[in-house]
Amino acid sequence: MRVEIDRAACDGIFACLVHDDRFAEDEAGLATVDPDAAGVVDVERTEERVIATFEGDADAAALAERACPPGAITVREDVTAQSTDAAREGDA
Ligand code: SF4
């Protein structure tokens, strides 16, 4: 699944961490994804957003998405690591 964090919308409440420990706090006090956490395939970070591919526990990621007060997290369960790669190639 693909997990996106809108860094402009994130306000650092960290409800996401409570539900899914693949989320982490970055040096700016905003949410990011721990690239070394189990179930994290890859993580890309820009000024605006964090885009990660997760495999495994979809329920935890969905709970984090629902718990985020400003709606900064978007989880797309139909996006696999393979289709994310294809989308990236399409963007190039
Ligand atoms: S719950 Fe939402 S607003 Fe809070 S840290 Fe996580 S992503 Fe940011």
Side-chain angles (χ1 to χ4, degrees):
M1 78 209 83
R2 190 171 86 165
V3 175
E4 221 173 287
I5 304 168
D6 180 345
R7 298 186 79 238
C10 175
D11 58 13
I13 297 167
F14 297 115
C16 51
L17 274 65
V18 174
H19 294 286
D20 190 332
D21 58 12
R22 292 170 288 197
F23 291 91
E25 181 176 358
D26 73 8
E27 66 287 348
L30 301 175
T32 188
V33 170
D34 178 356
D36 299 322
V40 175
V41 178
D42 66 31
V43 182
E44 285 179 33
R45 207 175 108 177
T46 67
E47 281 291 308
E48 294 83 27
R49 56 193 66 241
V50 176
I51 301 171
T53 306
F54 285 11
E55 59 184 14
D57 191 352
D59 291 345
L63 280 172
E65 179 185 33
R66 282 204 293 276
C68 176
I73 300 171
T74 305
V75 177
R76 292 267 316 273
E77 288 187 42
D78 57 330
V79 178
T80 63
Q82 215 170 22
S83 61
T84 303
D85 287 345
R88 257 191 234 119
E89 282 165 23
D91 288 345

